[in-house]
Amino acid sequence: MSLLRLSVLDQSPVPSGSTPAQALRNSISLAQHVESLGFNRFWMSEHHSMETLACTAPEIMLARIGAETTKIRLGSGGIMLPHYTALKVAETFRTLHALYPNRIDLGIGRAPGGGPLEAAALRRNRNVPQVDDFLDQLSELIAFLHQEFPPQHPFSKIMVTPEMPGGPDVWLLGSSMWSSETAAHFGLPYAFAHFFSPDPTRRAIENYQADFQPNLSLGVQARTSPEAMAAVGVICAETQAEADRLALSVRLLQLRIRMNDRRPVASPEEAAAELPQHGPAAPETGEFPRYVVGTPDVVKEQLTAMADALKIKELVVNTIVHDHAARLRSYTLLAEAFAATKAA
């Protein structure tokens, strides 16, 4: 591949006519496939109570995928920290690090990963008014992972096991200026969900890069300079017409999500029949498209231009299509396009 690193965010999309179990098996297949193509990371998301997306427990999927791969970095995109205690997350990802040393990324998010009802059911304590303690949780998580509590703190006596050198690499995920500022303040690497919220992408990443403060408490994972990447949707096919056809499925998916419709991913034929009922597609907002759709050369050109404009060296690609073989093919074409650039 070129100097621009490419990684993968997988959400275990469930195609209509298939099952969530098959979607999870597809995720394992995809991880093996993109590892063979030279992608840098494979991250899995956390979503709840959705027919559309099957992965509710990325940590379980990462444990399985680690056994099915050998070198690609594995991570959460992300763990929704408000649902859990910092110690439990630290133990879970230290276990993954012990199984697959120096391959584990711990992407942390603040969003609920579902609707208000699911968020209420996942609350750690329903007997007190809900308080946003994310910053305290994040501080606690970092302290647990790196044994950095002050000696007088009661948690300094807790040994987080499995105890071994190194640890998971913590990333902050986000789609807002708040997450940008938080990542910069904590000295964490930052992944922006452009495919979800395209409007503030440049402002968020540039703000993070300008305000970044190194954090030596992160140990060997500490950055001396900012490291950001953006997650962008991609559909790549041999022809523009085929890429546009495949993209009908995700166009309908995005529309349904806005209407709180969580059905499985429609086929292009199903989408073509349903989309006209909702009128013309909403115009793209933001400087860069949420989904880059086209032939390998078109996709490569747009992704490279986006990365250059944002001054970042890595993009996380999210591809949702109905047919799993077409999804594998999209990643193959993308990798070949960037490999050709490197060879030239």
Side-chain angles (χ1 to χ4, degrees):
M1 290 189 178
S2 73
L3 294 178
L4 175 61
R5 296 189 299 272
L6 296 178
S7 293
V8 174
L9 171 65
D10 180 39
Q11 299 169 300
S12 296
V14 182
S16 63
S18 186
T19 66
Q22 183 59 54
L24 296 175
R25 290 192 289 270
N26 289 345
S27 292
I28 299 169
S29 164
L30 178 61
Q32 294 171 318
H33 183 67
V34 297
E35 178 179 63
S36 73
L37 295 171
F39 283 78
N40 189 41
R41 310 174 198 272
F42 187 85
W43 283 10
M44 297 211 68
S45 65
E46 175 187 331
H47 291 89
H48 300 283
S49 193
M50 299 181 71
E51 292 182 74
T52 317
L53 307 173
C55 187
T56 58
E59 64 274 28
I60 293 177
M61 289 299 296
L62 296 176
R64 171 66 186 274
I65 289 170
E68 303 284 351
T69 55
T70 59
K71 59 184 179 181
I72 193 169
R73 292 195 66 87
L74 304 173
S76 54
I79 293 294
M80 299 301 132
L81 188 58
H83 300 325
Y84 312 107
T85 65
L87 176 57
K88 183 58 180 176
V89 173
E91 289 177 333
T92 298
F93 276 78
R94 273 217 157 271
T95 300
L96 288 169
H97 170 68
L99 291 170
Y100 313 113
N102 303 315
R103 291 179 61 194
I104 300 300
D105 297 326
L106 171 50
I108 292 296
R110 184 184 179 214
L117 183 61
E118 291 80 18
L122 286 161
R123 282 181 59 187
R124 286 168 285 139
N125 189 344
R126 298 179 211 156
N127 298 319
V128 297
Q130 188 168 2
V131 176
D132 183 356
D133 60 350
F134 182 84
L135 296 179
D136 291 337
Q137 279 187 288
L138 185 57
S139 297
E140 198 172 281
L141 174 64
I142 292 170
F144 274 130
L145 286 171
H146 300 286
Q147 300 291 291
E148 287 288 338
F149 285 105
Q152 66 274 19
H153 196 289
F155 291 169
S156 66
K157 301 179 175 62
I158 297 175
M159 180 176 68
V160 181
T161 57
E163 188 178 34
M164 60 176 290
D169 196 16
V170 180
W171 286 71
L172 188 66
L173 281 54
S175 58
S176 68
M177 297 303 296
W178 185 92
S179 61
S180 166
E181 294 164 1
T182 302
H185 173 75
F186 277 86
L188 294 171
Y190 180 49
F192 187 86
H194 172 77
F195 73 98
F196 177 75
S197 179
D199 290 339
T201 301
R202 182 189 283 272
R203 288 186 296 116
I205 289 180
E206 288 182 348
N207 179 76
Y208 162 76
Q209 292 165 334
D211 293 350
F212 178 85
Q213 304 172 32
N215 184 354
L216 298 181
S217 72
L218 297 174
V220 295
Q221 281 85 30
R223 267 67 168 180
T224 57
S225 59
E227 181 178 355
M229 56 187 181
V232 59
V234 169
I235 294 176
C236 198
E238 279 85 353
T239 66
Q240 185 67 48
E242 175 62 7
D244 289 338
R245 186 187 76 85
L246 294 171
L248 293 173
S249 299
V250 79
R251 278 182 53 198
L252 180 59
L253 173 64
Q254 291 169 340
L255 180 64
R256 284 176 170 178
I257 288 175
R258 289 198 296 272
M259 299 186 299
N260 199 30
D261 182 343
R262 305 180 185 186
R263 281 179 288 167
V265 180
S267 69
E269 294 73 25
E270 292 167 333
E274 184 175 337
L275 280 168
Q277 303 172 25
H278 303 284
E284 280 277 5
T285 61
E287 182 178 357
F288 313 104
R290 293 172 63 182
Y291 249 83
V292 179
V293 178
T295 62
D297 288 343
V298 167
V299 171
K300 179 186 69 175
E301 180 180 357
Q302 292 192 42
L303 292 182
T304 302
M306 179 181 179
D308 289 346
L310 297 173
K311 296 182 174 59
I312 57 178
K313 298 180 180 179
E314 186 166 358
L315 290 174
V316 186
V317 175
N318 173 247
T319 298
I320 295 181
V321 294
H322 181 265
D323 180 59
H324 182 57
R327 188 160 64 136
L328 297 179
R329 183 63 177 156
S330 179
Y331 283 111
T332 298
L333 293 171
L334 183 62
E336 289 175 350
F338 277 85
T341 300
K342 184 176 181 180

